[in-house]
Amino acid sequence: MRLPRMSRILATLAAAAMAAIGAVAVGSAPASAAVRNVCYNTSQAGPFAGYANQAATIWNNATNNINMAQCGSNLMIYYTYGGGSYAVRNSLGNGYVVIDYYQAQQYSPLRIMTHEIGHILGLPDNYNGNCAILMSGGSAGTSCTNPYPSAGEAATVDSYFRTAVRSATTAQVFTGSWPAPVGALR
Ligand SMILES: [Zn+2]
């Protein structure tokens, strides 16, 4: 009976480890063992709930190791009026996103949403002005409406959720991703 007992202990430890990174294992089949649910909640997202759903679909399609679904409140989606959109990551897959209603009238709301969720999924900003890079945020200008992570960005997220890289799990607040364009009223 030693081995089964050890298996239970290991399973408990594995569950605790996944809980620590805010993820839930999907099923128990080895093939899906690496997939982590990222449970988002749009009850406070107001007019941006639909964008959150679209962003979740984009991330699900772009990655192999995460499954975003409305299965809990690991990731809350909020909105506000003014002050800028931002993301607060408590740990990998855990935190909240705040969408600035006014900012979303200047920049693509879907790009903002997908970008801010990208922070929750472990990505830092990369203000290189390249519209093909999701995490370039507002540096790519208001004309950039690309809501898709690059292959490299998606692969990076997959690597975080495969290995739970420690650097990606540290708590961090991301502000200023969408600076006001020149000539804008706000
Ligand atoms: Zn950002």
Side-chain angles (χ1 to χ4, degrees):
M1 293 305 290
R2 180 179 290 176
L3 284 177
R5 180 176 181 180
M6 181 59 74
S7 294
R8 284 196 300 276
I9 292 172
L10 289 175
T12 301
L13 289 173
M18 278 183 279
I21 62 170
V24 178
V26 177
S28 57
S32 62
V35 177
R36 306 285 195 275
N37 278 350
V38 174
C39 298
Y40 68 99
N41 183 321
T42 61
S43 65
Q44 307 298 314
F48 299 102
Y51 292 112
N53 292 333
Q54 291 182 58
T57 298
I58 286 172
W59 277 115
N60 286 344
N61 289 342
T63 58
N64 298 312
N65 293 338
I66 66 169
N67 175 52
M68 294 192 66
Q70 295 195 56
C71 50
S73 302
N74 295 90
L75 168 53
M76 289 296 300
I77 310 293
Y78 300 109
Y79 74 106
T80 188
Y81 294 92
S85 304
Y86 61 100
V88 176
R89 186 179 68 218
N90 296 322
S91 63
L92 186 64
N94 279 304
Y96 62 93
V97 161
V98 180
I99 305 298
D100 180 347
Y101 182 93
Y102 297 126
Q103 207 165 49
Q105 293 183 319
Q106 299 174 336
Y107 295 92
S108 160
L110 181 56
R111 178 171 161 85
I112 294 175
M113 182 69 74
T114 318
H115 170 106
E116 299 300 346
I117 289 175
H119 286 312
I120 303 300
L121 301 180
L123 295 176
D125 280 312
N126 178 6
Y127 298 138
N128 62 6
N130 184 349
C131 186
I133 302 299
L134 180 62
M135 301 316 287
S136 68
S139 73
T142 55
S143 64
C144 174
T145 60
N146 169 40
Y148 300 102
S150 70
E153 290 173 316
T156 299
V157 168
D158 268 337
S159 72
Y160 290 156
F161 278 80
R162 183 167 57 243
T163 63
V165 174
R166 184 172 296 277
S167 62
T169 63
T170 55
Q172 192 169 343
V173 178
F174 300 90
T175 60
S177 297
W178 308 89
V182 175
L185 293 175
R186 55 170 307 117

